[in-house]
Amino acid sequence: MEQRLLAQGAGNNSVINVYPNRVEFRTGWNSENADSLGLKQIANVSIRGLVNCTLTIEVNDGRRLDVERMALPDARQVKAAVEAQKRKAGLYE
């Protein structure tokens, strides 16, 4: 069963899809590399910049996933969707 997509953003050779229980990163030629993170694994989401933004997702194991050259509305939409899902699940502190 495919879950509905809450938010989507595209950056420098990568696409971020936000679903109700996970965040999925697709990179590479034709989005062939997929990496999925559960909401419990995400520690923080931040945006840096105004025109070509950088969306940074910090993971509990110490990794930082940067998606550069995003449009500001896409970055804000992805950040808001992740924070709303974490708040809804009671994981956001």
Side-chain angles (χ1 to χ4, degrees), residues 66-86:
D66 292 331
V67 180
E68 298 175 341
R69 300 181 57 94
M70 285 186 77
L72 183 59
D74 289 349
R76 284 182 176 167
Q77 182 183 22
V78 168
K79 180 181 178 188
V82 169
E83 289 177 348
Q85 288 305 111
K86 287 183 71 72

Side-chain angles (χ1 to χ4, degrees), residues 5 16 22 25 35 49 61 76 90:
L5 186 65
I16 299 176
R22 72 184 191 281
F25 294 92
D35 186 21
D61 60 5
R76 284 182 176 167

